[in-house]
Amino acid sequence: MSVSFCGLELAHPVINGSGTFDAIAARRAFGKALDDAFPFAAFVSKTITLAPRAGNPPPRLWEAQAGLVNSIGLPNKGLERYMSEDLPELARLPAPLITNVMGSTAEEIAALVRACDARDEIAAVELNVSCPNVKSGLDIGADPGQLEHVLTAVRPALRKPLIVKLTPNCADVAECAKAAQEGGADAVSLINTLRAMALAPTRGHDAAQPRAWLGGGTGGLSGAAIRSLALAQVAAVAERVTIPVVGMGGIGSTAHARQFMDVGATLVAVGTESFRDPALALRIARELHPQHPPGMRRMNA
Amino acid sequence: MSVSFCGLELAHPVINGSGTFDAIAARRAFGKALDDAFPFAAFVSKTITLAPRAGNPPPRLWEAQAGLVNSIGLPNKGLERYMSEDLPELARLPAPLITNVMGSTAEEIAALVRACDARDEIAAVELNVSCPNVKSGLDIGADPGQLEHVLTAVRPALRKPLIVKLTPNCADVAECAKAAQEGGADAVSLINTLRAMALAPTRGHDAAQPRAWLGGGTGGLSGAAIRSLALAQVAAVAERVTIPVVGMGGIGSTAHARQFMDVGATLVAVGTESFRDPALALRIARELHPQHPPGMRRMNA
Amino acid sequence: MSTRRLPVPPSERTIAPFGRRLLTVTANERLGAYRLLKAADPDGPAPAAGQFAMLAAAERWGAGEDERPYLPRAFSYARWLADRRSRRSPIGGETHFLLEDVGPGTRRLCELRAGERLWALGPLGVGFDPPEDERRALLVGGGVGIAPLAIWQDSLGAPGTVLLGFRDGARAEGATLLGDALLATDDGSVGHRGFVTDLLSAELDRDAHATVYACGPPAMLEAARALCAVRGVPAQLALEAGMACGFGACFGCVVPKRCGGYLRVCVDGPVVDAAELDRVEAHVGSPA
Amino acid sequence: MSTRRLPVPPSERTIAPFGRRLLTVTANERLGAYRLLKAADPDGPAPAAGQFAMLAAAERWGAGEDERPYLPRAFSYARWLADRRSRRSPIGGETHFLLEDVGPGTRRLCELRAGERLWALGPLGVGFDPPEDERRALLVGGGVGIAPLAIWQDSLGAPGTVLLGFRDGARAEGATLLGDALLATDDGSVGHRGFVTDLLSAELDRDAHATVYACGPPAMLEAARALCAVRGVPAQLALEAGMACGFGACFGCVVPKRCGGYLRVCVDGPVVDAAELDRVEAHVGSPA
Ligand SMILES: Cc1cc2nc3c(=O)[nH]c(=O)nc-3n(C[C@H](O)[C@H](O)[C@H](O)COP(=O)(O)OP(=O)(O)OC[C@H]3O[C@@H](n4cnc5c(N)ncnc54)[C@H](O)[C@@H]3O)c2cc1C
Ligand SMILES: Cc1cc2nc3c(=O)[nH]c(=O)nc-3n(C[C@H](O)[C@H](O)[C@H](O)COP(=O)(O)OP(=O)(O)OC[C@H]3O[C@@H](n4cnc5c(N)ncnc54)[C@H](O)[C@@H]3O)c2cc1C
Ligand SMILES: Cc1cc2nc3c(=O)[nH]c(=O)nc-3n(C[C@H](O)[C@H](O)[C@H](O)COP(=O)(O)O)c2cc1C
Ligand SMILES: Cc1cc2nc3c(=O)[nH]c(=O)nc-3n(C[C@H](O)[C@H](O)[C@H](O)COP(=O)(O)O)c2cc1C
Ligand code: FES
Ligand code: FES
């Protein structure tokens, strides 16, 4: 039931959403059982940036209606220590490694991508373009023109497949996907979390100045609550582009995974729902019909 | 506990979301009890267009996780019959009437607005700018420049307060709100439903070609599931504009209403949650503290 | 609760109290493949036959399959037993609903136990009209669609002719909800093997001076509509459609009208004159 | 289920099976203001004291206040009774959790009845380390935070010195979970009127050659940490934080480290050496 994706041969069509599974921490919790029953056909790392980031102050989590609002703030060791400390561990996983990177300028992104290009342990790169532009404050991925421009600049630095993780916080995600394709993306993945907010609970309504619950102020909504929004975005994107699409957003069952493939996703990613059961993706992969017609059709296209 | 909003004196800060309450139909179901305990401080009509619209073919409803996806398709009698048939009935309501209108060109909008200006039964106009632009396909409200341009053109046609109902399907809703203010809006309301999709359920996975469930193809998500997204958008808008903000999106309790006011909404609107209990808005209005600090502060500003 | 059955005044529509109210489950009885949910509705007005209520469990409404249900669900009043104290007032009684488990909402309601509570909004919609010019009432029901015919039979005060169709024997046990009925089952396990509409056409051939009251799956309703149409027999059809609100607010529950456009099942129906429709489409948003 | 209590091998961390598993509730007993939830965990390994599990009701997890809960909730193992059959294997036993109803998730778990099932992922995190150089174990608990001290007392094999603090008498009944403990209550209804940390400082003044094992509200943990720090007494603190996953995936459960940066309570804790922290911040995402 192998699936070919950007030249990679994957055991099945289910991967993880970046930042929703830490294989190294999971090894500490589940031991070798994790490697014996590794749920993902490819492992996507948490977003890596050039410089280390501590992430946002707590609280970082808010539980919403059938969803989760997080403001983790992309904590990571930074490129250098990721390469020296994490890569050897991740290379031992029984699945190809996709490294997710983010930068706020073309130069930063190029440096990240170049570093990934140099390491054989990395099979492909996923570029997170949900990074706020320093000038406009908008995600650099929200403006099709700017996105294509950045990609054209950085694409030559990578000989491996480039997946662009689109931002859902835009007016026309399909247009952004088209721009990514024009810019040289080999695939696009979506959706990332949607901008959300929560206020600290107040017992009764005390006069106390209301304050945001999340240490980061605002956060991103994920999980079951966003599935119908994600399905609409994935369908719109798959209609517009010819490159493969990685669909995600609230996938919590094999039926959900099929829906995303039915609207044109080649791969699906499980994110928040893994928090309810880390082995969920494994169950989905096993239950999925090996050659799922719509998925295959688009892949062989 | 009256609240002043764009020069209107309202009994309390709770109104209805356009298209989520049909006062005329409700009278048939609940009789005069509706008028005796009318839940809304002002009544917002369903969106009215120049020409009559039958709306989308069924199915029009999909129940999502703590949410509803609808593709009603803005059925309405058209401006002329709304004025002749509905207005007399709506004028008898114990609350001022806000007529919600939508057009796809500045000319259409101007005609609608002018007609509303001529009728004393109408206290204010809400302009729904979630209408797809014929050229770009994007909502006319999604592009700040275009929005300000349209508003500047139509604003002179109305001597009454103009509320602009923003579209949430944009990259930067606060920028759109600012544009609305520049264009002459007296208030902005948000959020409208978010583009969503659902596939028809398949018992097991039959080979049958998967098809969209909704007759309209895609629809809009509303209800509890979108509350954290709505709160973030309302907060962002209230920070950017000086005109009053009408906040809505999944409000289902007094606590929720307070949260929207805490982030800067002057009025709140109840929509989908009214479907669970048509008297919900009444309960919220009664439970709300009359002079809610943040709300008042912004109003007297 | 001491109650006695009272013929419900045959008025087309009872006005609902504004706002949902809490009912207390008094019993939840197995009726073959169905559940008969009984609840005390002390503040509810006597419904007109054919009207429905929007129901939701007061606790844990949601968290079923795909985190649903979220919105309340529509159910026909199957019976109304007026409280004795209110013999003179039409307020207060025990209400019965016939439930078929077809998804997360009905599943949750089917598991309610005596003493648990549910939210109800209703009575909603327009019910059945009594027959005109001495026509006999011909009640035709399919599956769980027999529910509104039971209360209609009560309010007519006379058994009349009742034809009921079911998929199988387990479902046919639901027929005990009504007085002496002629049965048909798809598998022939009870009564006539075949469609209830076979019985209907025989009845109409015998005596067409009748008004047909039909409720059931779309295919059955369409067959009944057609049978009546060719014979010029007036028919009132109780329709179903997926609903979000039940009181005309969402415009979600529409079915196409003969004259073009749509009608809202929740406020223009659920009972409609067959003449208003071209045909009964396989409805969506509720079980086929 | 025939079981016998076995001292749990004091290993810092037991590896969890990969994937959540279904447990069956065997009892849900009232313990003053708390509930003691007992469940059969035939496939679960014996946890190390201080470890926790992520729990969710198998049915109707959600649809509470604000449509929550959605994610599972973290609970310390309070006790582990190994199945007799598995005397030689560490697999299979009855697990106990002490619950305080503070919101939609705990409320749902508190209402589970014997025979109902719940999802469990665990044992997770790192537990307590035995005392070194003959120090005595000094167990200090506050409120529902006494839970991990009970299983720690079991696995130490000796009662040791146990100091427990509660808000009131109803909560103080939770103390029966552990062997002979000294009590303090805020309202003085039971034992010392005041803070459990008053008892702790007295104990440390009497004999500071101890290792302190503390679990409870942040204010209590911080007071205990400070008391130990000034006296150079080693302390192991069982922390709490709002969690989404429990296995290091979400980076949501962080607390600031002394040396800067954050540690993840679910994988670097919940039991941490007090020396790793500057101070215990009022944690968020779980009841104060
Ligand atoms: C006026 C009226 C009277 C009724 N009277 C009765 C009665 O007396 N007894 C009775 O048992 N039933 C009655 N029904 C039908 C009942 O309302 C439905 O069976 C119920 O709403 C189903 O809800 P559910 O959650 O159990 O299943 P759902 O899954 O919500 O609904 C089942 C059907 O809805 C569709 N569906 C599936 N998923 C979704 C989704 N996510 N969103 C929208 N649609 C979906 C499919 O077609 C599926 O077959 C009546 C309906 C109406 C309109
Ligand atoms: C390692 C560990 C061990 C634990 N052991 C135990 C134990 O043995 N027994 C026990 O009773 N408890 C224990 N807890 C605490 C328990 O996990 C929480 O009480 C539980 O998660 C609360 O969930 P809830 O849904 O009941 O209440 P919630 O409302 O989810 O949580 C209560 C607190 O979370 C915050 N909050 C409110 N709303 C939200 C929201 N929407 N999103 C995020 N946060 C919100 C507020 O601070 C509130 O006081 C432990 C926690 C941890 C981390
Ligand atoms: C706690 C958390 C952390 C995340 N971190 C990242 C990240 O580092 N990089 C990234 O591209 N996406 C990140 N995401 C987004 C997910 O990869 C995914 O796009 C999103 O959550 C939607 O999928 P889901 O609903 O299945 O979780 C994160 C999501 C969550 C919930
Ligand atoms: C069934 C339905 C119909 C709607 N019709 C309209 C409409 O005609 N015009 C409009 O501006 N908004 C319309 N809306 C959007 C609501 O007014 C509101 O902005 C949105 O539903 C979010 O609020 P809620 O989550 O409280 O429902 C509609 C929403 C629903 C659910
Ligand atoms: S169900 Fe909402 S209009 Fe009929
Ligand atoms: S709870 Fe997810 S990392 Fe700790």
Side-chain angles (χ1 to χ4, degrees):
Chain A
M1 71 177 269
S2 95
V3 175
S4 83
F5 171 78
C6 303
L8 305 176
E9 281 305 315
L10 304 183
H12 57 76
V14 187
I15 66 174
N16 65 296
S18 171
T20 64
F21 202 94
D22 179 337
I24 296 171
R27 265 213 193 100
R28 287 165 62 192
F30 307 115
K32 66 179 292 294
L34 175 70
D35 298 77
D36 299 346
F38 195 70
F40 309 113
F43 179 72
V44 183
S45 79
K46 188 155 179 55
T47 290
I48 307 300
T49 51
L50 271 183
R53 292 168 57 107
N56 291 333
R60 292 178 169 185
L61 302 170
W62 176 261
E63 186 180 64
Q65 295 65 32
L68 170 67
V69 181
N70 83 81
S71 76
I72 307 300
L74 305 176
N76 76 95
K77 300 174 163 180
L79 179 64
E80 202 176 312
R81 287 181 52 216
Y82 168 77
M83 292 295 186
S84 57
E85 297 171 14
D86 294 356
L87 213 46
E89 285 235 41
L90 297 175
R92 288 173 33 232
L93 291 173
L97 173 64
I98 298 173
T99 295
N100 179 296
V101 299
M102 184 180 88
S104 47
T105 65
E107 296 62 37
E108 257 182 63
I109 296 170
L112 287 156
V113 159
R114 208 171 291 111
C116 293
D117 196 57
R119 298 298 297 262
D120 297 341
E121 301 92 329
I122 299 172
V125 173
E126 182 176 59
L127 176 62
N128 177 358
V129 294
S130 297
C131 177
N133 172 306
V134 266
K135 288 177 285 325
S136 72
L138 291 192
D139 295 348
I140 59 169
D143 172 5
Q146 185 183 22
L147 177 59
E148 182 173 347
H149 182 76
V150 170
L151 291 177
T152 317
V154 304
R155 189 64 189 89
L158 184 74
R159 287 157 301 175
K160 296 168 181 171
L162 175 68
I163 306 159
V164 172
K165 176 96 174 256
L166 301 167
T167 172
N169 300 306
C170 63
D172 185 354
V173 71
E175 197 55 31
C176 297
K178 192 90 173 66
Q181 175 171 311
E182 299 307 320
D186 303 291
V188 288
S189 55
L190 70 160
I191 70 172
N192 208 322
T193 59
L194 293 146
R195 207 168 291 122
M197 177 176 193
L199 294 184
T202 49
R203 307 258 156 277
H205 196 64
D206 41 29
Q209 208 39 269
R211 56 172 193 79
W213 168 260
L214 295 167
T218 63
L221 179 64
S222 65
I226 69 170
R227 191 181 316 126
S228 62
L229 305 171
L231 194 65
Q233 292 204 4
V234 169
V237 164
E239 263 189 18
R240 191 80 68 88
V241 299
T242 55
I243 52 178
V245 175
V246 182
M248 70 193 91
I251 293 176
S253 74
T254 304
H256 300 153
R258 285 213 178 89
Q259 289 163 18
F260 279 74
M261 298 175 105
D262 282 341
V263 299
T266 297
L267 303 182
V268 292
V270 176
T272 302
E273 288 280 327
S274 286
F275 301 162
R276 304 218 277 181
D277 180 8
L280 169 65
L282 185 67
R283 199 166 65 249
I284 292 177
R286 287 184 177 148
E287 287 172 6
L288 271 179
H289 185 290
Q291 280 118 345
H292 190 270
M296 295 305 289
R297 205 184 299 109
R298 296 198 67 268
M299 275 186 316
N300 308 344
Chain B
M1 69 175 273
S2 96
V3 175
S4 83
F5 171 78
C6 303
L8 306 176
E9 281 305 315
L10 304 183
H12 57 75
V14 186
I15 66 175
N16 64 297
S18 171
T20 64
F21 202 94
D22 179 338
I24 296 172
R27 265 212 192 100
R28 287 165 63 192
F30 307 114
K32 67 180 291 296
L34 175 70
D35 298 78
D36 300 345
F38 195 71
F40 308 112
F43 179 73
V44 182
S45 78
K46 187 154 180 54
T47 290
I48 306 301
T49 51
L50 269 184
R53 292 168 58 109
N56 291 333
R60 291 177 169 185
L61 303 170
W62 176 262
E63 186 179 65
Q65 295 65 33
L68 170 67
V69 181
N70 84 82
S71 77
I72 307 300
L74 304 178
N76 76 94
K77 299 173 163 180
L79 179 64
E80 201 177 313
R81 285 180 53 215
Y82 168 77
M83 292 295 187
S84 58
E85 296 171 14
D86 294 356
L87 213 48
E89 285 235 40
L90 297 175
R92 287 174 33 230
L93 291 173
L97 173 65
I98 298 173
T99 295
N100 178 297
V101 300
M102 183 181 89
S104 46
T105 65
E107 296 63 36
E108 257 182 64
I109 296 170
L112 287 156
V113 159
R114 209 171 290 110
C116 294
D117 196 57
R119 299 296 298 261
D120 299 339
E121 300 93 328
I122 299 172
V125 173
E126 181 175 61
L127 177 62
N128 177 357
V129 294
S130 297
C131 178
N133 172 306
V134 264
K135 288 177 285 326
S136 71
L138 291 193
D139 295 348
I140 59 171
D143 171 6
Q146 185 183 22
L147 177 59
E148 182 173 347
H149 181 78
V150 170
L151 292 177
T152 317
V154 304
R155 189 64 189 87
L158 183 73
R159 285 159 301 176
K160 297 167 180 171
L162 176 68
I163 307 158
V164 172
K165 174 94 173 259
L166 302 167
T167 172
N169 300 305
C170 62
D172 185 354
V173 70
E175 197 55 32
C176 297
K178 193 88 173 63
Q181 175 171 308
E182 298 308 320
D186 302 291
V188 288
S189 55
L190 70 159
I191 70 171
N192 209 320
T193 59
L194 293 145
R195 207 167 291 122
M197 177 178 191
L199 294 183
T202 49
R203 305 258 155 278
H205 197 65
D206 41 27
Q209 209 37 270
R211 56 174 190 77
W213 168 261
L214 296 167
T218 62
L221 180 65
S222 66
I226 69 170
R227 190 182 317 126
S228 62
L229 304 172
L231 195 65
Q233 293 204 2
V234 169
V237 164
E239 262 189 19
R240 192 79 69 87
V241 300
T242 55
I243 53 178
V245 175
V246 182
M248 70 192 92
I251 294 176
S253 74
T254 304
H256 300 154
R258 285 213 178 90
Q259 289 162 18
F260 279 74
M261 298 174 104
D262 281 341
V263 299
T266 298
L267 301 183
V268 293
V270 176
T272 301
E273 288 279 326
S274 286
F275 300 162
R276 304 218 278 181
D277 180 7
L280 168 65
L282 185 67
R283 199 167 64 250
I284 294 177
R286 286 183 179 152
E287 289 172 4
L288 270 181
H289 186 288
Q291 281 119 342
H292 188 272
M296 296 305 287
R297 203 182 305 109
R298 298 197 67 270
M299 275 186 317
N300 308 345
Chain C
M1 184 180 57
S2 100
T3 62
R4 50 192 281 274
R5 189 176 309 184
L6 270 181
V8 176
S11 98
E12 215 188 340
R13 156 176 265 153
T14 298
I15 297 297
F18 182 59
R20 66 181 185 178
R21 59 191 183 274
L22 274 173
L23 313 189
T24 305
V25 174
T26 50
N28 180 343
E29 300 162 2
R30 194 173 153 290
L31 203 64
Y34 307 108
R35 309 290 312 189
L36 188 63
L37 186 71
K38 303 180 174 183
D41 185 8
D43 307 318
Q51 287 190 293
F52 66 98
M54 297 298 284
L55 302 182
E59 296 289 325
R60 312 227 163 273
W61 186 247
E65 176 197 327
D66 278 350
E67 315 294 329
R68 299 166 53 223
Y70 169 57
L71 298 162
R73 301 296 197 252
F75 297 91
S76 305
Y77 285 90
R79 183 142 282 145
W80 176 265
L81 308 178
D83 296 352
R84 187 178 253 98
R85 65 156 169 75
S86 61
R87 192 176 314 177
R88 258 165 253 75
S89 107
I91 301 297
E94 181 181 79
T95 173
H96 296 185
F97 298 100
L98 185 69
L99 310 183
E100 180 173 24
D101 173 353
V102 300
T106 47
R107 188 158 310 137
R108 177 70 183 112
L109 291 169
C110 283
E111 72 188 21
L112 286 177
R113 285 178 300 264
E116 296 191 300
R117 296 179 318 163
L118 66 156
W119 288 112
L121 179 73
L124 298 167
V126 288
F128 297 111
D129 255 347
E132 285 169 1
D133 45 57
E134 283 88 43
R135 290 174 174 275
R136 64 191 179 122
L138 226 169
L139 281 54
V140 185
V144 77
I146 67 173
L149 302 180
I151 185 173
W152 184 224
Q153 189 180 43
D154 293 349
S155 64
L156 286 171
T161 310
V162 182
L163 315 173
L164 305 179
F166 299 93
R167 201 179 309 158
D168 50 41
R171 289 186 169 76
E173 290 183 46
T176 57
L177 197 65
L178 285 86
D180 41 12
L182 270 165
L183 300 192
T185 49
D186 300 3
D187 61 5
S189 52
V190 186
H192 165 75
R193 170 192 233 91
F195 295 135
V196 65
T197 42
D198 304 340
L199 304 178
L200 174 60
S201 67
E203 269 297 326
L204 290 177
D205 292 343
R206 194 171 62 70
D207 170 8
H209 191 67
T211 297
V212 169
Y213 299 92
C215 184
M220 183 216 106
L221 286 182
E222 172 54 18
R225 187 203 59 77
L227 282 171
C228 295
V230 292
R231 294 174 170 80
V233 173
Q236 296 180 31
L237 312 177
L239 303 176
E240 285 191 14
M243 293 185 172
C245 70
F247 53 92
C250 75
F251 283 79
C253 61
V254 297
V255 299
K257 277 188 299 190
R258 148 166 288 147
C259 49
Y262 298 101
L263 57 80
R264 281 173 288 181
V265 170
C266 71
V267 283
D268 304 321
V271 176
V272 301
D273 183 331
E276 288 186 56
L277 310 174
D278 260 331
R279 57 188 321 286
V280 180
E281 311 273 344
H283 67 261
V284 279
S286 63
Chain D
M1 186 179 57
S2 101
T3 63
R4 51 193 280 274
R5 189 176 305 184
L6 269 184
V8 177
S11 98
E12 216 189 337
R13 158 177 265 151
T14 298
I15 298 297
F18 182 60
R20 66 181 186 178
R21 59 192 183 272
L22 274 174
L23 313 188
T24 305
V25 174
T26 50
N28 180 341
E29 301 161 0
R30 192 172 154 291
L31 203 63
Y34 307 108
R35 309 289 313 187
L36 188 63
L37 186 70
K38 304 181 173 182
D41 186 8
D43 307 320
Q51 286 191 293
F52 67 97
M54 296 298 286
L55 303 182
E59 296 289 323
R60 311 225 163 275
W61 186 248
E65 177 197 327
D66 279 349
E67 316 294 330
R68 299 167 53 225
Y70 169 58
L71 298 162
R73 301 295 197 252
F75 297 91
S76 305
Y77 285 90
R79 183 141 281 145
W80 177 264
L81 308 178
D83 296 353
R84 186 178 254 96
R85 65 155 169 74
S86 60
R87 192 175 317 176
R88 257 163 254 76
S89 108
I91 301 299
E94 182 182 76
T95 173
H96 297 185
F97 297 100
L98 185 68
L99 310 182
E100 179 173 24
D101 174 352
V102 300
T106 47
R107 188 158 310 136
R108 176 70 183 112
L109 292 169
C110 283
E111 72 188 22
L112 285 176
R113 286 179 298 265
E116 295 190 301
R117 296 179 317 163
L118 67 157
W119 288 113
L121 179 73
L124 298 166
V126 288
F128 296 111
D129 254 345
E132 285 168 3
D133 44 58
E134 282 87 47
R135 290 173 174 277
R136 65 193 179 121
L138 228 169
L139 282 55
V140 185
V144 77
I146 67 172
L149 301 180
I151 185 174
W152 184 224
Q153 189 179 42
D154 293 349
S155 64
L156 286 172
T161 310
V162 182
L163 314 174
L164 305 178
F166 298 93
R167 199 177 312 157
D168 50 41
R171 288 184 169 78
E173 291 182 44
T176 57
L177 198 64
L178 284 86
D180 41 13
L182 271 165
L183 301 191
T185 50
D186 299 3
D187 61 7
S189 51
V190 185
H192 165 74
R193 169 192 235 93
F195 295 133
V196 65
T197 42
D198 305 340
L199 304 178
L200 174 60
S201 66
E203 269 296 327
L204 290 177
D205 293 341
R206 193 170 62 72
D207 169 9
H209 192 65
T211 297
V212 170
Y213 299 92
C215 184
M220 182 216 106
L221 286 182
E222 172 53 18
R225 186 202 60 76
L227 283 172
C228 296
V230 292
R231 293 171 171 81
V233 171
Q236 297 180 32
L237 313 177
L239 303 176
E240 285 192 11
M243 293 187 171
C245 70
F247 51 93
C250 75
F251 284 79
C253 61
V254 296
V255 298
K257 275 189 299 191
R258 148 165 289 150
C259 49
Y262 298 101
L263 58 79
R264 281 173 287 180
V265 170
C266 71
V267 282
D268 304 320
V271 176
V272 301
D273 183 331
E276 289 185 56
L277 310 173
D278 260 331
R279 59 189 320 283
V280 180
E281 311 273 345
H283 67 260
V284 278
S286 62

